[in-house]
Amino acid sequence: MISYLKGSIASVDVSTPNRTMLTVEVNGIGYELQITPRLARRLPPFGESFQVFCDLQQREDRPVLYGFGSAAERDLFRQLIRASGVGSQLALALLDTLELSDLVQAIVTGNHRILSQTPGVGKKTAERISLELRSKLSQWRQRVQLETIPEAGLTAEIQEDVEMTLLALGFSPEEVMNAMKALAKDETFSDRNDADAWIKRSIALLSD
């Protein structure tokens, strides 16, 4: 399994309908990956070094390598394609339409309206994605056994939503707890009943 590739950008081809293909040259070998248009807009200039995270899928006619800008994005893609009725192209469309943090939060909180902004995702598909992935994320959260933060002033439901979102974005359990404890002690932080505010402030703290 190829986890990631690190090389120079050889080409980006958007001529194929609904397909954006990136070629990365690594040690004289060109690897072709399908990426989202969002990632294509963020690529460095041709010839510059670039790291792309990968997932290899076997189609009926040939294998296809998909490329992502972060390990968290790649891992969410793998979760999305396991949901009923979600194939690789629909998963890429979700990742292209919504920022990663917004997509994860919409799944965790069951915000079907946000998920349905993606072309091809109707209400039933959005409900199924949220139901199936939230269940998996909840099980994951329980396995890592995050502690409660009584001084945070959070309901159990909001804390669960915040933790699952941050974990799905690739932050470690220790990082999640440290960020939430820091916010719990921050007297200037007033939006304590707003999961979205907790997530955004936590991401800002962890990204410094």
Side-chain angles (χ1 to χ4, degrees):
M1 179 65 70
I2 301 174
S3 177
Y4 66 87
L5 295 170
K6 190 171 185 179
S8 60
I9 299 175
S11 67
V12 178
D13 184 6
V14 295
S15 60
T16 306
N18 301 320
R19 301 286 191 277
T20 301
M21 307 304 297
L22 166 69
T23 301
V24 178
E25 183 176 340
V26 182
N27 296 327
I29 301 175
Y31 294 87
E32 186 180 62
L33 309 94
Q34 184 178 348
I35 62 173
T36 63
R38 180 192 294 274
L39 178 56
R41 292 191 293 269
R42 297 176 175 176
L43 292 174
F46 288 173
E48 287 196 11
S49 179
F50 175 70
Q51 183 177 25
V52 59
F53 294 85
C54 307
D55 184 72
L56 181 65
Q57 295 289 320
Q58 181 64 51
R59 295 200 323 197
E60 292 182 1
D61 53 343
R62 63 187 177 88
V64 178
L65 197 59
Y66 296 95
F68 307 92
S70 68
E73 189 176 43
R74 189 252 333 264
D75 294 345
L76 182 58
F77 171 82
R78 289 173 173 171
Q79 293 294 330
L80 286 167
I81 61 176
R82 293 189 180 100
S84 303
V86 179
S88 299
Q89 300 309 313
L90 191 56
L92 287 178
L94 283 161
L95 290 166
D96 186 55
T97 303
L98 299 168
E99 288 285 353
L100 185 60
S101 58
D102 294 334
L103 175 56
V104 172
Q105 189 176 353
I107 292 170
V108 168
T109 59
N111 193 328
H112 308 142
R113 180 183 61 81
I114 294 294
L115 293 174
S116 297
Q117 291 179 5
T118 300
V121 177
K123 181 180 178 182
K124 289 185 178 180
T125 300
E127 291 174 349
R128 189 164 56 245
I129 290 171
S130 181
L131 178 64
E132 293 185 20
L133 268 65
R134 179 182 171 82
S135 176
K136 292 177 182 177
L137 290 173
S138 182
Q139 292 171 10
W140 179 24
R141 174 182 175 272
Q142 291 172 9
R143 284 200 300 273
V144 300
Q145 297 182 332
L146 293 170
E147 61 187 277
T148 58
I149 309 176
E151 70 271 22
L154 280 170
T155 65
E157 182 179 0
I158 290 178
Q159 181 169 340
E160 182 177 354
D161 288 350
V162 174
E163 290 171 354
M164 284 196 295
T165 301
L166 294 173
L167 287 169
L169 288 172
F171 296 111
S172 70
E174 183 179 7
E175 288 175 322
V176 172
M177 282 295 96
N178 287 341
M180 295 188 71
K181 286 179 180 178
L183 285 180
K185 297 175 181 178
D186 185 353
E187 296 181 356
T188 66
F189 180 51
S190 58
D191 297 327
R192 297 189 178 275
N193 293 318
D194 185 347
D196 184 52
W198 276 87
I199 292 166
K200 289 180 178 178
R201 290 287 297 272
S202 295
I203 291 173
L205 281 174
L206 294 167
S207 299
D208 286 343

